[in-house]
Structure formats: C-alpha cells, structure tokens
Amino acid sequence: NPDAVVEPKLSLQWFVDMQKIVTPALENVLNDNIEFFPPKFKNLYRNWLENIKDWPISRQLWWGQQIPAFYYGENGVAVAATKEEALIIAQKENPTLTLDDLKQDEDVVDTWFSSWLLPITIFDGFENPDNEEMKYYYPTSVLVTGWDIIFFWVARMIISGYEYTNEMPFKKVYFTGMVRDMQRRKMSKQLGNSPDALKLIDKFGADGVRVGMLLSSAAGNDLLFDEKLCEQGRNFTTKTWNAFRLVKSWEIDATLSGDKNKASIAWFEARYNQALVELEDHFEKFRLSEALMGVYKLVWDDFCSWYLEMIKPEYQQPIDQATYDATIHFFEKLVKLMHPFMPFISEEIYQNIQKREENDCLIVAEWPTAKKINQPIINEAEIAFEVISNIRNTRNAKGISPKEKLILFIKSDNFTKFNTFTPVIKKLANLTSFESTNEKVDQSISFVLKADEFFIPMEGNIDTEKEKEALLKELKYTQGFLTGVEKKLSNERFVNNAPEQVLANEQKKKADAEAKIKTLEESLSSL
C-alpha cells in the first residue's frame, strides 16, 4: 500500500558499556605510549573518547557473527560461547530445559565489533594467549589507516587491547589522507568516482602509480587525485631506467686514468650519505611523502642531472674503469633507497647490474648505512653548480649558443673555493678557461653571486644600458630580499623560538645579501 505510514519500531538491542573500559585507551594515547602521526589527530581522538556513548552492537542482517545470547521461557537469557554452555547456565534456573528450549538471538554483531578484536584474534590470543605468535607479534609496531575510522576502528582496537590483554595492540598509528576526486568528494564505490587501478597501472606502470600517489600524500592530508601525479611517477621511472641504460652502454678503457672524476665521485658519495640521513629521519617521523621526494631529488637532480653529466665521457669515447665501477656502485645504493617506493624497477635494475645468486634480491638486501658526511665538498659543489647555472642562464638570456666556447673571469676574495670543481665548471659550462681577476673586465657580460662578480668577455659592443638595467633589477630584488630577512630577524618572538639552525640560516642569508648588494652597487658605479 503506497499510502501506508512507515514508522520506526523499538526493539531490544545489545550494548557495550564503554564508560567502564575507555580510560586506559584514552590515557595511553594522550601520554604518547601510543603515538599518532600526525599528532594533530590526538585532539579528535580525545574529543570522541571523552564524550563516548554506549555502543549498540546489534545489527539486523542476514550474515555475520550471531550474537551469543540464548533465550528461554518468558524472560530468561543466557550469554555463552555455545548453545551447550548456555544450556548449563539456563538449567541453574530451570533444570528441565533442553537444547530445543533455547533460541539464539537472530541479530548479528556490528562489523566493527568483530574488527576491534582483530589484533588479538588473528594470533589466537583469546583461546591461547601465550602462544609464540601472540608473544612475538603483539603488540605490533605500526597501524596504517585512514583518519576517518579513527573512532570506529582505531580507538576500539586500543580499547579492546587494554581490556582483554592489558596491553596496547600497536605502538604507533600512521594516518593517511583521504583520496578525493577533483570535486573534493571522497572516493567510494557508491559514488563510482574511483579510478580503475588496473587501468592506471597499464597506462603508467605500478611504480609510476605508487610514486604519483606518494609524492602528494603527506600524512593526514587529503589528496585530490589527478592522473598527472601518476604521469610524474612514470616519468621518474623512465628517467631512472634511461640513466641505467646510458651507464651500461659505456665502453671501458682500463688504461685510462680516473683522476679527473675523483672530486665528482667524492661529492656524490657525500651527497648520498647526506640524503640517506635525511631519509631515515623522515622515515622515523613517518614523513613518507617527504622521504620519497628526497629520493626523487637525489636520483633525478643530483645523480642524473649533475653527477652523470660531470663524469660522462665525450661522445663515443670510453670511460675509465674506476669511474665506471664507482657509478655502478652508486646505482646499487640508489635502487636500495628507491625500493620501498618503487619495488619493481628498482629490483629490475638491481638484477641487471650484475649476475646474482637466486636469493640475492632487494627485498631482503641489507639496508645501507650512512657514513660520515663530507660537508666541505658538498658546499664546494653547490658553489660550482650555482656558477654553472648562472652561465647557462646568461647564455639563454643573451642568445648565446650552448656550443659556443666562453671564457670566464671571476673577481673574488677567495678564488681557491673553486679549485676542486674548476674542471667540472669548465666542462658543464663549456668554457675554454676560468681565471681570477682583480679588475672589472671591459666589454663583458657580468653576473653576481653573493660577493663574487663574474665576467664573460664578448666580442663587439656590449649594450651598457641593458647591462645596467639588468644589474638594477637584480639590485632591487636583492634589497627586497634583505628587507624581508631583516624583518624576520627583528621579530623578537621568531628569534627567541626559532631553532638554532634556522636562525643561523637566516643570518647567513642576511650576510650573503649584504655582500651581493655591495658588489652590485660597485658594478653599477663602474658602468
């Protein structure tokens, strides 16, 4: 009958008295015995548990774990694990009862009621609490889950852990963000707005999809899904594979000396150790997106864009054995760092680097150990890279071909800081010479790095007005930058609360900007 009135019907429900069992679960999260990552979710957790209500666990479904309550007579009820055990309880009230007189409650328990016991039941912790698996795995280390079920599942697992084992179920909880579509809707089967994972893998590769998602999924923050993220991941896998193919294509001449590449090798070794220390710090703090970005930059920028260009032999020329061996060794170390994020391509490269035993694979390989970081050579390399980048930018701005050989002069109080990487600067900037000077070089294009001024002599007339305009523009920008730094350093709250390293970095920025302004003003006065 379409005109019939539909009304709610009151029925008997089974509840869990949460007030009696919630306290340990609340206390041990607030005191960080169980740590949340990111910790901001402790407030949400506390709000729920401090205002907790009794939990109705009866569900009127066809399938599930039937509630172990057995009714008899008019008002009799016995709760037991089996019907036989319930009969023993019921017979204490009425000895004439039989199994046929008992009827089990038709409701099943809430799905979360089954799930909250998972850490215990999976290791048979109720029936056999002292078994080896239970003792080894419980409590486990980390739970990874979405923050939207922090109350439905996470809190309840913690509650049951303390209630039934007097122990936490896990030591740390890492909350992932919610993956949403471009309309900010949570992805769900009901909405049909979830991408087809298998199609994404067909298009971008499994590693590409993993990288694309991880690069933009900082802990606890929502991720607006876009296929371009996976495309970026695929590009990274392609870049890595092409770098490996390049290195494996080089011919080796055992008679060649590798002395010219020693500085480059030492630099990348130092940079690798630096990145490894940073990576392990990110892992320790569950900054997984930042951890992957660190590996991404190490491979793409430091290894592919700088190191390989520094040691790459001339076209169709061989490479020396020492440099080749060092580069292959670096590849072995790099794929180990990539493996947690990109297991397939890293394993493929690892197996193709050299012939290996059957059980020699990355998933069981020893994790690398960081050695002492050679910070001076990292600093010297950074200076060299700045010089090379500025020369390349100058070429682009002035329309000078990358193939055209140039001469570079530098006016500096400390020319020795360029000594280690002078060959690299000459090679990657395509210079015939790189020399020190005490005077401004006439008829030249110039640029300034901190307190150092660089000159590229040019044949023909230089447009003095354009050079002056460029210097004035750079001076104005640097003065604005200095003002911003000084404003920050004049903020008493910032100075008192900022970490020592952050404060030192700001002071260094100030000194560098002041030195650059002085040099720019001197350059302008000489035009």
Side-chain angles (χ1 to χ4, degrees), residues 109-130:
V109 295
D110 175 18
T111 304
W112 294 115
F113 186 86
S114 305
S115 301
W116 81 323
L117 306 175
L118 176 71
I120 306 170
T121 56
I122 200 170
F123 302 120
D124 197 23
F126 285 109
E127 294 294 326
N128 186 12
D130 294 324

mmCIF file of all heavy atoms in Angstrom, residues 109-130:
data_model
loop_
_atom_site.group_PDB
_atom_site.id
_atom_site.type_symbol
_atom_site.label_atom_id
_atom_site.label_comp_id
_atom_site.label_asym_id
_atom_site.label_seq_id
_atom_site.Cartn_x
_atom_site.Cartn_y
_atom_site.Cartn_z
ATOM 1 N N VAL A 109 26.466 -9.249 15.278
ATOM 2 C CA VAL A 109 27.193 -8.122 15.861
ATOM 3 C C VAL A 109 27.610 -7.125 14.776
ATOM 4 O O VAL A 109 27.800 -7.486 13.606
ATOM 5 C CB VAL A 109 28.446 -8.586 16.637
ATOM 6 C CG1 VAL A 109 28.058 -9.426 17.833
ATOM 7 C CG2 VAL A 109 29.420 -9.326 15.739
ATOM 8 N N ASP A 110 27.748 -5.877 15.179
ATOM 9 C CA ASP A 110 28.294 -4.824 14.313
ATOM 10 C C ASP A 110 29.638 -5.285 13.736
ATOM 11 O O ASP A 110 30.452 -5.907 14.426
ATOM 12 C CB ASP A 110 28.459 -3.568 15.175
ATOM 13 C CG ASP A 110 29.120 -2.419 14.442
ATOM 14 O OD1 ASP A 110 29.147 -2.434 13.198
ATOM 15 O OD2 ASP A 110 29.618 -1.508 15.128
ATOM 16 N N THR A 111 29.865 -4.957 12.477
ATOM 17 C CA THR A 111 31.126 -5.344 11.835
ATOM 18 C C THR A 111 32.332 -4.830 12.613
ATOM 19 O O THR A 111 33.349 -5.511 12.752
ATOM 20 C CB THR A 111 31.175 -4.789 10.401
ATOM 21 O OG1 THR A 111 30.029 -5.247 9.681
ATOM 22 C CG2 THR A 111 32.439 -5.242 9.691
ATOM 23 N N TRP A 112 32.210 -3.623 13.155
ATOM 24 C CA TRP A 112 33.339 -3.065 13.907
ATOM 25 C C TRP A 112 33.578 -3.849 15.200
ATOM 26 O O TRP A 112 34.697 -3.883 15.712
ATOM 27 C CB TRP A 112 33.081 -1.587 14.242
ATOM 28 C CG TRP A 112 33.033 -0.711 13.019
ATOM 29 C CD1 TRP A 112 31.959 -0.027 12.542
ATOM 30 C CD2 TRP A 112 34.109 -0.444 12.110
ATOM 31 N NE1 TRP A 112 32.291 0.652 11.398
ATOM 32 C CE2 TRP A 112 33.612 0.414 11.114
ATOM 33 C CE3 TRP A 112 35.443 -0.859 12.046
ATOM 34 C CZ2 TRP A 112 34.392 0.886 10.069
ATOM 35 C CZ3 TRP A 112 36.228 -0.389 11.007
ATOM 36 C CH2 TRP A 112 35.708 0.465 10.025
ATOM 37 N N PHE A 113 32.515 -4.483 15.723
ATOM 38 C CA PHE A 113 32.684 -5.283 16.930
ATOM 39 C C PHE A 113 33.554 -6.508 16.631
ATOM 40 O O PHE A 113 34.350 -6.936 17.471
ATOM 41 C CB PHE A 113 31.322 -5.723 17.472
ATOM 42 C CG PHE A 113 31.396 -6.421 18.794
ATOM 43 C CD1 PHE A 113 31.396 -5.706 19.979
ATOM 44 C CD2 PHE A 113 31.471 -7.805 18.860
ATOM 45 C CE1 PHE A 113 31.479 -6.344 21.209
ATOM 46 C CE2 PHE A 113 31.553 -8.454 20.083
ATOM 47 C CZ PHE A 113 31.556 -7.723 21.255
ATOM 48 N N SER A 114 33.415 -7.042 15.436
ATOM 49 C CA SER A 114 34.308 -8.137 15.033
ATOM 50 C C SER A 114 35.718 -7.595 14.810
ATOM 51 O O SER A 114 36.711 -8.207 15.225
ATOM 52 C CB SER A 114 33.800 -8.787 13.746
ATOM 53 O OG SER A 114 32.475 -9.217 13.890
ATOM 54 N N SER A 115 35.774 -6.409 14.167
ATOM 55 C CA SER A 115 37.077 -5.867 13.764
ATOM 56 C C SER A 115 37.904 -5.374 14.936
ATOM 57 O O SER A 115 39.134 -5.382 14.861
ATOM 58 C CB SER A 115 36.869 -4.722 12.765
ATOM 59 O OG SER A 115 36.181 -5.184 11.625
ATOM 60 N N TRP A 116 37.259 -4.924 16.011
ATOM 61 C CA TRP A 116 38.041 -4.356 17.113
ATOM 62 C C TRP A 116 38.877 -5.422 17.814
ATOM 63 O O TRP A 116 39.838 -5.121 18.505
ATOM 64 C CB TRP A 116 37.145 -3.590 18.082
ATOM 65 C CG TRP A 116 36.376 -4.374 19.116
ATOM 66 C CD1 TRP A 116 35.796 -5.590 18.949
ATOM 67 C CD2 TRP A 116 36.080 -3.945 20.447
ATOM 68 N NE1 TRP A 116 35.152 -5.959 20.101
ATOM 69 C CE2 TRP A 116 35.307 -4.971 21.042
ATOM 70 C CE3 TRP A 116 36.371 -2.808 21.193
ATOM 71 C CZ2 TRP A 116 34.832 -4.888 22.338
ATOM 72 C CZ3 TRP A 116 35.891 -2.728 22.490
ATOM 73 C CH2 TRP A 116 35.137 -3.756 23.068
ATOM 74 N N LEU A 117 38.513 -6.695 17.600
ATOM 75 C CA LEU A 117 39.242 -7.807 18.216
ATOM 76 C C LEU A 117 40.330 -8.366 17.304
ATOM 77 O O LEU A 117 41.047 -9.291 17.695
ATOM 78 C CB LEU A 117 38.264 -8.933 18.576
ATOM 79 C CG LEU A 117 37.075 -8.526 19.456
ATOM 80 C CD1 LEU A 117 36.134 -9.702 19.626
ATOM 81 C CD2 LEU A 117 37.550 -8.012 20.802
ATOM 82 N N LEU A 118 40.437 -7.806 16.089
ATOM 83 C CA LEU A 118 41.337 -8.377 15.085
ATOM 84 C C LEU A 118 42.765 -8.598 15.573
ATOM 85 O O LEU A 118 43.314 -9.689 15.386
ATOM 86 C CB LEU A 118 41.345 -7.481 13.836
ATOM 87 C CG LEU A 118 42.331 -7.902 12.733
ATOM 88 C CD1 LEU A 118 41.864 -9.182 12.055
ATOM 89 C CD2 LEU A 118 42.506 -6.799 11.708
ATOM 90 N N PRO A 119 43.445 -7.603 16.181
ATOM 91 C CA PRO A 119 44.844 -7.825 16.561
ATOM 92 C C PRO A 119 45.035 -9.007 17.511
ATOM 93 O O PRO A 119 46.101 -9.610 17.538
ATOM 94 C CB PRO A 119 45.239 -6.509 17.247
ATOM 95 C CG PRO A 119 44.258 -5.502 16.743
ATOM 96 C CD PRO A 119 42.984 -6.255 16.545
ATOM 97 N N ILE A 120 43.994 -9.304 18.286
ATOM 98 C CA ILE A 120 44.097 -10.421 19.235
ATOM 99 C C ILE A 120 43.713 -11.734 18.573
ATOM 100 O O ILE A 120 44.431 -12.736 18.665
ATOM 101 C CB ILE A 120 43.192 -10.159 20.464
ATOM 102 C CG1 ILE A 120 43.519 -8.798 21.085
ATOM 103 C CG2 ILE A 120 43.353 -11.271 21.502
ATOM 104 C CD1 ILE A 120 42.538 -8.351 22.152
ATOM 105 N N THR A 121 42.564 -11.740 17.886
ATOM 106 C CA THR A 121 42.046 -12.994 17.324
ATOM 107 C C THR A 121 42.921 -13.540 16.207
ATOM 108 O O THR A 121 42.987 -14.758 16.012
ATOM 109 C CB THR A 121 40.617 -12.791 16.789
ATOM 110 O OG1 THR A 121 40.614 -11.722 15.833
ATOM 111 C CG2 THR A 121 39.666 -12.431 17.916
ATOM 112 N N ILE A 122 43.587 -12.652 15.468
ATOM 113 C CA ILE A 122 44.383 -13.120 14.331
ATOM 114 C C ILE A 122 45.543 -14.004 14.796
ATOM 115 O O ILE A 122 46.040 -14.840 14.050
ATOM 116 C CB ILE A 122 44.890 -11.923 13.495
ATOM 117 C CG1 ILE A 122 45.273 -12.375 12.096
ATOM 118 C CG2 ILE A 122 46.055 -11.212 14.186
ATOM 119 C CD1 ILE A 122 45.560 -11.235 11.143
ATOM 120 N N PHE A 123 45.956 -13.824 16.051
ATOM 121 C CA PHE A 123 47.031 -14.656 16.613
ATOM 122 C C PHE A 123 46.506 -15.613 17.678
ATOM 123 O O PHE A 123 47.263 -16.088 18.530
ATOM 124 C CB PHE A 123 48.123 -13.755 17.207
ATOM 125 C CG PHE A 123 48.720 -12.803 16.215
ATOM 126 C CD1 PHE A 123 48.636 -11.431 16.418
ATOM 127 C CD2 PHE A 123 49.337 -13.270 15.062
ATOM 128 C CE1 PHE A 123 49.171 -10.543 15.489
ATOM 129 C CE2 PHE A 123 49.864 -12.387 14.132
ATOM 130 C CZ PHE A 123 49.786 -11.024 14.343
ATOM 131 N N ASP A 124 45.184 -15.881 17.631
ATOM 132 C CA ASP A 124 44.556 -16.826 18.566
ATOM 133 C C ASP A 124 44.797 -16.398 20.008
ATOM 134 O O ASP A 124 45.043 -17.229 20.901
ATOM 135 C CB ASP A 124 45.103 -18.242 18.325
ATOM 136 C CG ASP A 124 44.216 -19.316 18.948
ATOM 137 O OD1 ASP A 124 43.019 -19.032 19.158
ATOM 138 O OD2 ASP A 124 44.719 -20.405 19.253
ATOM 139 N N GLY A 125 44.712 -15.103 20.251
ATOM 140 C CA GLY A 125 45.056 -14.563 21.560
ATOM 141 C C GLY A 125 44.037 -14.805 22.647
ATOM 142 O O GLY A 125 44.365 -14.683 23.839
ATOM 143 N N PHE A 126 42.800 -15.150 22.294
ATOM 144 C CA PHE A 126 41.798 -15.441 23.327
ATOM 145 C C PHE A 126 41.888 -16.896 23.777
ATOM 146 O O PHE A 126 41.898 -17.186 24.975
ATOM 147 C CB PHE A 126 40.381 -15.149 22.797
ATOM 148 C CG PHE A 126 40.070 -13.682 22.719
ATOM 149 C CD1 PHE A 126 39.971 -13.040 21.491
ATOM 150 C CD2 PHE A 126 39.869 -12.938 23.866
ATOM 151 C CE1 PHE A 126 39.683 -11.688 21.415
ATOM 152 C CE2 PHE A 126 39.576 -11.578 23.807
ATOM 153 C CZ PHE A 126 39.491 -10.944 22.570
ATOM 154 N N GLU A 127 41.958 -17.803 22.801
ATOM 155 C CA GLU A 127 41.988 -19.231 23.139
ATOM 156 C C GLU A 127 43.338 -19.661 23.683
ATOM 157 O O GLU A 127 43.436 -20.518 24.547
ATOM 158 C CB GLU A 127 41.636 -20.060 21.887
ATOM 159 C CG GLU A 127 40.221 -19.887 21.391
ATOM 160 C CD GLU A 127 39.195 -20.428 22.370
ATOM 161 O OE1 GLU A 127 39.503 -21.434 23.044
ATOM 162 O OE2 GLU A 127 38.099 -19.840 22.479
ATOM 163 N N ASN A 128 44.394 -19.046 23.147
ATOM 164 C CA ASN A 128 45.747 -19.488 23.505
ATOM 165 C C ASN A 128 46.645 -18.258 23.665
ATOM 166 O O ASN A 128 47.515 -17.991 22.835
ATOM 167 C CB ASN A 128 46.282 -20.430 22.420
ATOM 168 C CG ASN A 128 47.598 -21.054 22.777
ATOM 169 O OD1 ASN A 128 48.055 -20.973 23.924
ATOM 170 N ND2 ASN A 128 48.246 -21.679 21.796
ATOM 171 N N PRO A 129 46.452 -17.476 24.730
ATOM 172 C CA PRO A 129 47.133 -16.178 24.864
ATOM 173 C C PRO A 129 48.648 -16.248 24.975
ATOM 174 O O PRO A 129 49.327 -15.255 24.715
ATOM 175 C CB PRO A 129 46.522 -15.602 26.151
ATOM 176 C CG PRO A 129 45.983 -16.773 26.891
ATOM 177 C CD PRO A 129 45.540 -17.752 25.853
ATOM 178 N N ASP A 130 49.208 -17.377 25.329
ATOM 179 C CA ASP A 130 50.662 -17.489 25.498
ATOM 180 C C ASP A 130 51.358 -18.160 24.316
ATOM 181 O O ASP A 130 52.507 -18.580 24.432
ATOM 182 C CB ASP A 130 50.986 -18.265 26.786
ATOM 183 C CG ASP A 130 50.545 -17.504 28.027
ATOM 184 O OD1 ASP A 130 50.656 -16.260 28.011
ATOM 185 O OD2 ASP A 130 50.083 -18.148 28.973
#
